[in-house]
Amino acid sequence: TQLLEQSPQFLSIQEGENLTVYCNSSSVFSSLQWYRQEPGEGPVLLVTVVTGGEVKKLKRLTFQFGDARKDSSLHITAAQPGDTGLYLCAGGSSNTGKLIFGQGTTLQVKP
Amino acid sequence: NAGVTQTPKFQVLKTGQSMTLQCAQDMNHEYMSWYRQDPGMGLRLIHYSVGAGITDQGEVPNGYNVSRSTTEDFPLRLLSAAPSQTSVYFCASSFDGSYEQYFGPGTRLTVT
């Protein structure tokens, strides 16, 4: 069974601070996706990484896929209250044709 | 272009009642799926479909049925609701099950 361990589960920081969320597995994934979910809504895709070692930047967000394609990280620089939400990583397997989701990280950014 | 729509938004059931959660998409996606979201457990796959007439079980299928008669619609049926099925349910669609999923707004279900 493929599992994705996401850490930390909760993060409460002040505006302007930096943070990193980790997503780890013992399994190899063909892709790693990061979603953001706001209360009362469904998750929305932020980014997909598919190549080991790949780094993608989305404004203040930096996403990295591990060299072995087993882990990923999301780094936010100078967090803002608008970044508050639930962040989910999801590993895609071309073998199973499915996504496996991590438990999620609830981020609160205080003004 | 509405994307993925789900109804109802909220539902309260008594133990033993049955109901159908509706899901529709207008993006002509072949792959559709149902997830449940519980605190601290992320999203868990209930059932999925790779096309009209084809469905399969996910990680937590017990107590749920699905059918896929058209590309657009993928209803989820609760046969006999139990308190353990209290959760938020999300329907999603995509071109492929392992790539970007487009989620509906969710149905919050409470079983008393």
Side-chain angles (χ1 to χ4, degrees), chain A residues 18-78:
Chain A
N18 301 331
L19 67 116
T20 302
V21 178
Y22 299 94
C23 187
N24 296 295
S25 176
S26 58
S27 302
V28 176
F29 292 101
S30 52
S31 70
L32 204 296
Q33 302 169 28
W34 286 91
Y35 291 80
R36 180 164 172 259
Q37 184 179 12
E38 305 218 17
E41 299 180 8
V44 176
L45 182 73
L46 292 173
V47 77
T48 301
V49 284
V50 297
T51 304
E54 183 176 2
V55 176
K56 280 192 176 179
K57 292 193 175 184
L58 191 66
K59 297 183 181 178
R60 294 176 293 101
L61 279 60
T62 301
F63 305 86
Q64 185 163 8
F65 202 10
D67 291 341
R69 291 187 288 134
K70 293 181 180 181
D71 55 88
S72 181
S73 63
L74 157 61
H75 182 79
I76 301 179
T77 304

Short mmCIF file of all heavy atoms in Angstrom, two decimals, chain A residues 18-78:
data_model
loop_
_atom_site.label_atom_id
_atom_site.label_comp_id
_atom_site.label_asym_id
_atom_site.label_seq_id
_atom_site.Cartn_x
_atom_site.Cartn_y
_atom_site.Cartn_z
N ASN A 18 8.81 32.53 6.98
CA ASN A 18 8.95 31.49 5.96
C ASN A 18 8.54 30.15 6.56
O ASN A 18 8.59 29.96 7.79
CB ASN A 18 10.40 31.39 5.48
CG ASN A 18 10.90 32.69 4.89
OD1 ASN A 18 10.13 33.49 4.37
ND2 ASN A 18 12.20 32.92 5.00
N LEU A 19 8.13 29.21 5.71
CA LEU A 19 7.75 27.88 6.20
C LEU A 19 7.97 26.84 5.11
O LEU A 19 8.03 27.16 3.92
CB LEU A 19 6.26 27.86 6.61
CG LEU A 19 5.30 28.03 5.43
CD1 LEU A 19 4.45 26.78 5.25
CD2 LEU A 19 4.42 29.25 5.64
N THR A 20 8.13 25.60 5.57
CA THR A 20 8.28 24.48 4.65
C THR A 20 7.37 23.34 5.09
O THR A 20 7.32 23.00 6.28
CB THR A 20 9.73 23.98 4.59
OG1 THR A 20 10.59 25.06 4.19
CG2 THR A 20 9.87 22.84 3.58
N VAL A 21 6.67 22.75 4.14
CA VAL A 21 5.83 21.58 4.37
C VAL A 21 6.45 20.41 3.62
O VAL A 21 6.90 20.57 2.48
CB VAL A 21 4.39 21.83 3.87
CG1 VAL A 21 3.53 20.59 4.08
CG2 VAL A 21 3.77 23.02 4.59
N TYR A 22 6.48 19.26 4.28
CA TYR A 22 7.13 18.08 3.70
C TYR A 22 6.12 16.98 3.40
O TYR A 22 5.12 16.81 4.10
CB TYR A 22 8.19 17.55 4.67
CG TYR A 22 9.27 18.55 4.96
CD1 TYR A 22 9.19 19.38 6.07
CD2 TYR A 22 10.37 18.67 4.11
CE1 TYR A 22 10.18 20.32 6.33
CE2 TYR A 22 11.37 19.60 4.37
CZ TYR A 22 11.26 20.41 5.48
OH TYR A 22 12.25 21.34 5.75
N CYS A 23 6.45 16.23 2.37
CA CYS A 23 5.60 15.12 1.94
C CYS A 23 6.54 13.96 1.62
O CYS A 23 7.38 14.07 0.72
CB CYS A 23 4.83 15.57 0.70
SG CYS A 23 3.58 14.44 0.13
N ASN A 24 6.44 12.86 2.38
CA ASN A 24 7.40 11.77 2.26
C ASN A 24 6.73 10.42 2.07
O ASN A 24 5.65 10.17 2.61
CB ASN A 24 8.28 11.70 3.51
CG ASN A 24 9.13 12.94 3.69
OD1 ASN A 24 9.99 13.23 2.87
ND2 ASN A 24 8.88 13.69 4.74
N SER A 25 7.39 9.56 1.31
CA SER A 25 6.87 8.22 1.08
C SER A 25 8.03 7.26 0.86
O SER A 25 9.13 7.67 0.51
CB SER A 25 5.96 8.23 -0.13
OG SER A 25 5.51 6.93 -0.44
N SER A 26 7.75 5.98 1.05
CA SER A 26 8.74 4.96 0.69
C SER A 26 8.51 4.48 -0.74
O SER A 26 9.29 3.68 -1.27
CB SER A 26 8.64 3.77 1.66
OG SER A 26 7.33 3.23 1.64
N SER A 27 7.45 4.97 -1.37
CA SER A 27 7.10 4.56 -2.73
C SER A 27 7.54 5.61 -3.74
O SER A 27 7.63 6.80 -3.43
CB SER A 27 5.59 4.38 -2.86
OG SER A 27 5.10 3.44 -1.94
N VAL A 28 7.78 5.17 -4.94
CA VAL A 28 8.12 6.06 -6.05
C VAL A 28 6.84 6.46 -6.76
O VAL A 28 5.97 5.63 -7.02
CB VAL A 28 9.07 5.36 -7.05
CG1 VAL A 28 9.34 6.26 -8.25
CG2 VAL A 28 10.38 4.99 -6.36
N PHE A 29 6.72 7.74 -7.06
CA PHE A 29 5.55 8.24 -7.76
C PHE A 29 5.95 8.78 -9.13
O PHE A 29 7.04 9.31 -9.32
CB PHE A 29 4.87 9.34 -6.95
CG PHE A 29 4.23 8.84 -5.68
CD1 PHE A 29 4.85 9.01 -4.45
CD2 PHE A 29 3.01 8.19 -5.72
CE1 PHE A 29 4.27 8.53 -3.29
CE2 PHE A 29 2.42 7.71 -4.56
CZ PHE A 29 3.06 7.88 -3.35
N SER A 30 5.05 8.67 -10.08
CA SER A 30 5.30 9.22 -11.41
C SER A 30 5.06 10.74 -11.43
O SER A 30 5.59 11.44 -12.29
CB SER A 30 4.43 8.52 -12.45
OG SER A 30 3.08 8.54 -12.05
N SER A 31 4.27 11.23 -10.49
CA SER A 31 4.07 12.67 -10.37
C SER A 31 3.72 13.00 -8.93
O SER A 31 3.25 12.14 -8.18
CB SER A 31 2.94 13.16 -11.30
OG SER A 31 1.69 12.70 -10.82
N LEU A 32 3.97 14.25 -8.57
CA LEU A 32 3.61 14.71 -7.23
C LEU A 32 2.87 16.03 -7.41
O LEU A 32 3.37 16.95 -8.08
CB LEU A 32 4.87 14.88 -6.39
CG LEU A 32 4.74 14.81 -4.87
CD1 LEU A 32 3.89 15.94 -4.30
CD2 LEU A 32 4.20 13.47 -4.41
N GLN A 33 1.70 16.09 -6.84
CA GLN A 33 0.87 17.29 -6.98
C GLN A 33 0.66 17.94 -5.62
O GLN A 33 0.61 17.27 -4.60
CB GLN A 33 -0.49 16.91 -7.58
CG GLN A 33 -0.38 16.23 -8.94
CD GLN A 33 -1.69 15.62 -9.38
OE1 GLN A 33 -2.75 16.09 -9.00
NE2 GLN A 33 -1.60 14.59 -10.20
N TRP A 34 0.53 19.26 -5.64
CA TRP A 34 0.17 20.02 -4.44
C TRP A 34 -1.14 20.74 -4.70
O TRP A 34 -1.30 21.41 -5.74
CB TRP A 34 1.27 21.02 -4.08
CG TRP A 34 2.48 20.38 -3.48
CD1 TRP A 34 3.60 19.93 -4.14
CD2 TRP A 34 2.71 20.12 -2.10
NE1 TRP A 34 4.50 19.41 -3.26
CE2 TRP A 34 3.98 19.50 -1.99
CE3 TRP A 34 1.97 20.32 -0.92
CZ2 TRP A 34 4.52 19.11 -0.77
CZ3 TRP A 34 2.52 19.94 0.29
CH2 TRP A 34 3.78 19.35 0.36
N TYR A 35 -2.07 20.59 -3.75
CA TYR A 35 -3.36 21.24 -3.82
C TYR A 35 -3.51 22.18 -2.62
O TYR A 35 -2.94 21.95 -1.56
CB TYR A 35 -4.50 20.22 -3.77
CG TYR A 35 -4.61 19.34 -4.99
CD1 TYR A 35 -3.78 18.24 -5.17
CD2 TYR A 35 -5.58 19.59 -5.96
CE1 TYR A 35 -3.90 17.43 -6.28
CE2 TYR A 35 -5.72 18.78 -7.08
CZ TYR A 35 -4.87 17.70 -7.23
OH TYR A 35 -4.99 16.90 -8.34
N ARG A 36 -4.34 23.20 -2.81
CA ARG A 36 -4.72 24.08 -1.71
C ARG A 36 -6.24 24.07 -1.60
O ARG A 36 -6.95 24.14 -2.62
CB ARG A 36 -4.23 25.50 -1.97
CG ARG A 36 -4.58 26.47 -0.86
CD ARG A 36 -3.75 27.73 -0.97
NE ARG A 36 -4.22 28.73 -0.04
CZ ARG A 36 -5.00 29.76 -0.37
NH1 ARG A 36 -5.36 29.93 -1.62
NH2 ARG A 36 -5.40 30.62 0.55
N GLN A 37 -6.71 23.97 -0.36
CA GLN A 37 -8.15 23.89 -0.13
C GLN A 37 -8.57 24.96 0.87
O GLN A 37 -7.98 25.07 1.95
CB GLN A 37 -8.52 22.50 0.40
CG GLN A 37 -10.00 22.29 0.59
CD GLN A 37 -10.32 20.90 1.09
OE1 GLN A 37 -9.44 20.15 1.52
NE2 GLN A 37 -11.57 20.52 1.04
N GLU A 38 -9.60 25.71 0.51
CA GLU A 38 -10.16 26.72 1.42
C GLU A 38 -11.43 26.13 2.06
O GLU A 38 -12.05 25.23 1.50
CB GLU A 38 -10.47 27.99 0.65
CG GLU A 38 -9.24 28.52 -0.08
CD GLU A 38 -9.16 30.02 -0.06
OE1 GLU A 38 -9.84 30.66 0.77
OE2 GLU A 38 -8.41 30.57 -0.88
N PRO A 39 -11.80 26.63 3.24
CA PRO A 39 -12.98 26.08 3.93
C PRO A 39 -14.23 26.11 3.06
O PRO A 39 -14.52 27.10 2.39
CB PRO A 39 -13.14 27.03 5.13
CG PRO A 39 -11.76 27.55 5.38
CD PRO A 39 -11.13 27.68 4.03
N GLY A 40 -14.94 24.98 3.02
CA GLY A 40 -16.19 24.90 2.27
C GLY A 40 -16.02 24.71 0.78
O GLY A 40 -17.00 24.75 0.04
N GLU A 41 -14.78 24.48 0.34
CA GLU A 41 -14.53 24.30 -1.09
C GLU A 41 -13.72 23.05 -1.34
O GLU A 41 -13.15 22.46 -0.42
CB GLU A 41 -13.80 25.52 -1.65
CG GLU A 41 -14.58 26.81 -1.53
CD GLU A 41 -13.83 27.99 -2.11
OE1 GLU A 41 -12.77 27.79 -2.74
OE2 GLU A 41 -14.30 29.13 -1.92
N GLY A 42 -13.66 22.64 -2.60
CA GLY A 42 -12.84 21.50 -2.96
C GLY A 42 -11.40 21.92 -3.19
O GLY A 42 -11.11 23.10 -3.41
N PRO A 43 -10.46 20.97 -3.13
CA PRO A 43 -9.05 21.30 -3.38
C PRO A 43 -8.84 21.81 -4.80
O PRO A 43 -9.53 21.38 -5.73
CB PRO A 43 -8.35 19.95 -3.18
CG PRO A 43 -9.29 19.12 -2.37
CD PRO A 43 -10.65 19.56 -2.77
N VAL A 44 -7.87 22.70 -4.94
CA VAL A 44 -7.51 23.26 -6.24
C VAL A 44 -6.03 23.03 -6.47
O VAL A 44 -5.22 23.30 -5.58
CB VAL A 44 -7.84 24.76 -6.31
CG1 VAL A 44 -7.37 25.34 -7.65
CG2 VAL A 44 -9.33 24.99 -6.14
N LEU A 45 -5.68 22.55 -7.64
CA LEU A 45 -4.29 22.23 -7.95
C LEU A 45 -3.43 23.49 -7.97
O LEU A 45 -3.78 24.50 -8.59
CB LEU A 45 -4.19 21.54 -9.31
CG LEU A 45 -2.77 21.12 -9.71
CD1 LEU A 45 -2.34 19.92 -8.88
CD2 LEU A 45 -2.71 20.78 -11.20
N LEU A 46 -2.26 23.41 -7.28
CA LEU A 46 -1.27 24.48 -7.34
C LEU A 46 -0.19 24.16 -8.37
O LEU A 46 0.17 25.00 -9.19
CB LEU A 46 -0.60 24.65 -5.97
CG LEU A 46 -1.48 25.19 -4.84
CD1 LEU A 46 -0.71 25.14 -3.52
CD2 LEU A 46 -1.93 26.60 -5.14
N VAL A 47 0.32 22.92 -8.31
CA VAL A 47 1.44 22.57 -9.19
C VAL A 47 1.54 21.06 -9.31
O VAL A 47 1.10 20.32 -8.42
CB VAL A 47 2.76 23.14 -8.63
CG1 VAL A 47 3.27 22.30 -7.47
CG2 VAL A 47 3.83 23.28 -9.69
N THR A 48 2.12 20.61 -10.40
CA THR A 48 2.47 19.20 -10.61
C THR A 48 3.96 19.13 -10.94
O THR A 48 4.43 19.89 -11.80
CB THR A 48 1.68 18.57 -11.75
OG1 THR A 48 0.28 18.66 -11.47
CG2 THR A 48 2.06 17.11 -11.94
N VAL A 49 4.69 18.25 -10.26
CA VAL A 49 6.09 18.00 -10.60
C VAL A 49 6.22 16.54 -11.02
O VAL A 49 5.59 15.67 -10.41
CB VAL A 49 7.04 18.32 -9.43
CG1 VAL A 49 7.20 19.83 -9.30
CG2 VAL A 49 6.55 17.76 -8.12
N VAL A 50 7.01 16.30 -12.06
CA VAL A 50 7.06 14.95 -12.62
C VAL A 50 8.49 14.41 -12.75
O VAL A 50 8.67 13.20 -12.93
CB VAL A 50 6.38 14.87 -13.99
CG1 VAL A 50 4.90 15.18 -13.86
CG2 VAL A 50 7.04 15.80 -14.99
N THR A 51 9.49 15.27 -12.66
CA THR A 51 10.87 14.84 -12.86
C THR A 51 11.64 14.89 -11.54
O THR A 51 11.55 15.90 -10.81
CB THR A 51 11.57 15.75 -13.88
OG1 THR A 51 10.81 15.76 -15.09
CG2 THR A 51 12.98 15.26 -14.17
N GLY A 52 12.38 13.85 -11.22
CA GLY A 52 13.19 13.84 -10.00
C GLY A 52 14.11 15.04 -9.96
O GLY A 52 14.79 15.33 -10.94
N GLY A 53 14.13 15.77 -8.82
CA GLY A 53 14.96 16.96 -8.68
C GLY A 53 14.32 18.23 -9.20
O GLY A 53 14.89 19.31 -9.06
N GLU A 54 13.15 18.11 -9.76
CA GLU A 54 12.49 19.27 -10.37
C GLU A 54 12.12 20.30 -9.31
O GLU A 54 11.67 19.95 -8.22
CB GLU A 54 11.25 18.82 -11.12
CG GLU A 54 10.51 19.93 -11.86
CD GLU A 54 9.33 19.40 -12.66
OE1 GLU A 54 9.07 18.19 -12.62
OE2 GLU A 54 8.66 20.21 -13.33
N VAL A 55 12.31 21.57 -9.65
CA VAL A 55 11.91 22.69 -8.79
C VAL A 55 11.00 23.60 -9.60
O VAL A 55 11.33 23.97 -10.72
CB VAL A 55 13.13 23.48 -8.28
CG1 VAL A 55 12.66 24.69 -7.46
CG2 VAL A 55 14.05 22.60 -7.45
N LYS A 56 9.84 23.92 -9.02
CA LYS A 56 8.93 24.86 -9.68
C LYS A 56 8.61 25.98 -8.71
O LYS A 56 8.44 25.75 -7.52
CB LYS A 56 7.64 24.16 -10.11
CG LYS A 56 7.76 23.39 -11.40
CD LYS A 56 6.40 22.97 -11.92
CE LYS A 56 6.51 22.28 -13.27
NZ LYS A 56 5.20 21.83 -13.79
N LYS A 57 8.52 27.19 -9.27
CA LYS A 57 8.19 28.36 -8.44
C LYS A 57 6.89 28.97 -8.92
O LYS A 57 6.64 29.10 -10.12
CB LYS A 57 9.32 29.39 -8.50
CG LYS A 57 10.59 28.92 -7.82
CD LYS A 57 11.58 30.05 -7.62
CE LYS A 57 12.79 29.56 -6.81
NZ LYS A 57 13.74 30.63 -6.51
N LEU A 58 6.07 29.34 -7.93
CA LEU A 58 4.79 29.99 -8.20
C LEU A 58 4.74 31.18 -7.26
O LEU A 58 4.33 31.07 -6.11
CB LEU A 58 3.65 29.01 -7.92
CG LEU A 58 2.25 29.40 -8.37
CD1 LEU A 58 2.16 29.47 -9.86
CD2 LEU A 58 1.25 28.36 -7.83
N LYS A 59 5.22 32.34 -7.75
CA LYS A 59 5.32 33.56 -6.94
C LYS A 59 6.15 33.26 -5.68
O LYS A 59 7.33 32.97 -5.78
CB LYS A 59 3.94 34.09 -6.59
CG LYS A 59 3.14 34.53 -7.83
CD LYS A 59 1.80 35.13 -7.46
CE LYS A 59 1.04 35.53 -8.72
NZ LYS A 59 -0.32 36.07 -8.41
N ARG A 60 5.57 33.30 -4.48
CA ARG A 60 6.33 33.07 -3.25
C ARG A 60 6.38 31.59 -2.85
O ARG A 60 6.94 31.26 -1.81
CB ARG A 60 5.70 33.89 -2.12
CG ARG A 60 5.80 35.40 -2.32
CD ARG A 60 5.04 36.15 -1.19
NE ARG A 60 3.60 35.92 -1.31
CZ ARG A 60 2.94 35.06 -0.58
NH1 ARG A 60 3.56 34.34 0.35
NH2 ARG A 60 1.64 34.91 -0.73
N LEU A 61 5.82 30.71 -3.65
CA LEU A 61 5.79 29.29 -3.34
C LEU A 61 6.82 28.56 -4.20
O LEU A 61 6.89 28.77 -5.42
CB LEU A 61 4.39 28.71 -3.62
CG LEU A 61 3.30 28.90 -2.58
CD1 LEU A 61 3.00 30.36 -2.30
CD2 LEU A 61 2.05 28.16 -2.99
N THR A 62 7.62 27.70 -3.56
CA THR A 62 8.61 26.90 -4.26
C THR A 62 8.34 25.43 -3.98
O THR A 62 8.23 25.04 -2.81
CB THR A 62 10.04 27.25 -3.82
OG1 THR A 62 10.29 28.64 -4.07
CG2 THR A 62 11.07 26.42 -4.59
N PHE A 63 8.22 24.65 -5.01
CA PHE A 63 7.92 23.23 -4.91
C PHE A 63 9.12 22.44 -5.42
O PHE A 63 9.71 22.78 -6.44
CB PHE A 63 6.70 22.87 -5.75
CG PHE A 63 5.48 23.67 -5.43
CD1 PHE A 63 5.28 24.90 -6.03
CD2 PHE A 63 4.53 23.21 -4.53
CE1 PHE A 63 4.16 25.66 -5.74
CE2 PHE A 63 3.40 23.95 -4.23
CZ PHE A 63 3.22 25.18 -4.84
N GLN A 64 9.46 21.37 -4.71
CA GLN A 64 10.58 20.53 -5.13
C GLN A 64 10.17 19.07 -5.08
O GLN A 64 9.50 18.62 -4.15
CB GLN A 64 11.79 20.77 -4.24
CG GLN A 64 13.03 20.02 -4.69
CD GLN A 64 14.29 20.58 -4.07
OE1 GLN A 64 14.26 21.43 -3.19
NE2 GLN A 64 15.44 20.10 -4.53
N PHE A 65 10.58 18.32 -6.09
CA PHE A 65 10.37 16.87 -6.15
C PHE A 65 11.72 16.23 -5.86
O PHE A 65 12.73 16.61 -6.45
CB PHE A 65 9.89 16.48 -7.55
CG PHE A 65 9.16 15.18 -7.64
CD1 PHE A 65 8.77 14.47 -6.51
CD2 PHE A 65 8.85 14.65 -8.88
CE1 PHE A 65 8.07 13.27 -6.61
CE2 PHE A 65 8.16 13.45 -9.00
CZ PHE A 65 7.77 12.76 -7.87
N GLY A 66 11.76 15.27 -4.94
CA GLY A 66 13.01 14.63 -4.59
C GLY A 66 13.64 13.89 -5.76
O GLY A 66 12.93 13.46 -6.68
N ASP A 67 14.95 13.73 -5.69
CA ASP A 67 15.67 13.06 -6.78
C ASP A 67 15.12 11.67 -7.07
O ASP A 67 15.06 11.23 -8.22
CB ASP A 67 17.17 12.96 -6.44
CG ASP A 67 17.85 14.32 -6.44
OD1 ASP A 67 17.29 15.26 -7.04
OD2 ASP A 67 18.94 14.44 -5.84
N ALA A 68 14.74 10.95 -6.02
CA ALA A 68 14.24 9.58 -6.17
C ALA A 68 12.74 9.53 -6.41
O ALA A 68 12.16 8.43 -6.51
CB ALA A 68 14.59 8.76 -4.92
N ARG A 69 12.11 10.67 -6.51
CA ARG A 69 10.66 10.79 -6.74
C ARG A 69 9.85 10.11 -5.65
O ARG A 69 8.80 9.51 -5.90
CB ARG A 69 10.28 10.26 -8.12
CG ARG A 69 10.81 11.15 -9.24
CD ARG A 69 10.28 10.70 -10.59
NE ARG A 69 10.89 9.46 -11.01
CZ ARG A 69 10.22 8.42 -11.50
NH1 ARG A 69 8.92 8.46 -11.63
NH2 ARG A 69 10.87 7.35 -11.88
N LYS A 70 10.37 10.19 -4.39
CA LYS A 70 9.62 9.63 -3.26
C LYS A 70 9.16 10.72 -2.31
O LYS A 70 8.40 10.44 -1.38
CB LYS A 70 10.51 8.65 -2.48
CG LYS A 70 10.88 7.40 -3.23
CD LYS A 70 11.72 6.50 -2.35
CE LYS A 70 12.10 5.22 -3.07
NZ LYS A 70 12.90 4.33 -2.19
N ASP A 71 9.65 11.94 -2.46
CA ASP A 71 9.31 12.97 -1.52
C ASP A 71 9.23 14.33 -2.21
O ASP A 71 9.74 14.50 -3.33
CB ASP A 71 10.35 13.03 -0.39
CG ASP A 71 11.75 13.20 -0.92
OD1 ASP A 71 12.18 14.37 -1.12
OD2 ASP A 71 12.41 12.18 -1.16
N SER A 72 8.60 15.26 -1.52
CA SER A 72 8.44 16.60 -2.08
C SER A 72 8.35 17.60 -0.95
O SER A 72 8.05 17.24 0.21
CB SER A 72 7.18 16.66 -2.94
OG SER A 72 7.02 17.95 -3.52
N SER A 73 8.61 18.86 -1.26
CA SER A 73 8.47 19.91 -0.26
C SER A 73 7.84 21.13 -0.90
O SER A 73 7.94 21.37 -2.11
CB SER A 73 9.83 20.28 0.35
OG SER A 73 10.69 20.80 -0.64
N LEU A 74 7.16 21.88 -0.04
CA LEU A 74 6.55 23.15 -0.43
C LEU A 74 7.11 24.22 0.50
O LEU A 74 6.96 24.10 1.72
CB LEU A 74 5.03 23.07 -0.30
CG LEU A 74 4.24 24.39 -0.13
CD1 LEU A 74 4.44 25.30 -1.33
CD2 LEU A 74 2.78 24.11 0.11
N HIS A 75 7.77 25.22 -0.05
CA HIS A 75 8.33 26.29 0.75
C HIS A 75 7.61 27.59 0.40
O HIS A 75 7.45 27.92 -0.77
CB HIS A 75 9.83 26.43 0.47
CG HIS A 75 10.50 27.49 1.29
ND1 HIS A 75 10.86 27.30 2.61
CD2 HIS A 75 10.84 28.77 0.98
CE1 HIS A 75 11.42 28.41 3.07
NE2 HIS A 75 11.42 29.31 2.11
N ILE A 76 7.15 28.29 1.44
CA ILE A 76 6.50 29.58 1.24
C ILE A 76 7.39 30.66 1.86
O ILE A 76 7.75 30.56 3.04
CB ILE A 76 5.09 29.63 1.85
CG1 ILE A 76 4.21 28.55 1.23
CG2 ILE A 76 4.47 31.01 1.65
CD1 ILE A 76 2.79 28.50 1.79
N THR A 77 7.71 31.65 1.08
CA THR A 77 8.52 32.77 1.53
C THR A 77 7.62 33.94 1.90
O THR A 77 6.68 34.26 1.16
CB THR A 77 9.49 33.21 0.42
OG1 THR A 77 10.29 32.08 0.03
CG2 THR A 77 10.40 34.33 0.87
N ALA A 78 7.91 34.54 3.03
CA ALA A 78 7.17 35.74 3.47
C ALA A 78 5.66 35.50 3.43
O ALA A 78 4.93 36.14 2.68
CB ALA A 78 7.56 36.95 2.64
#
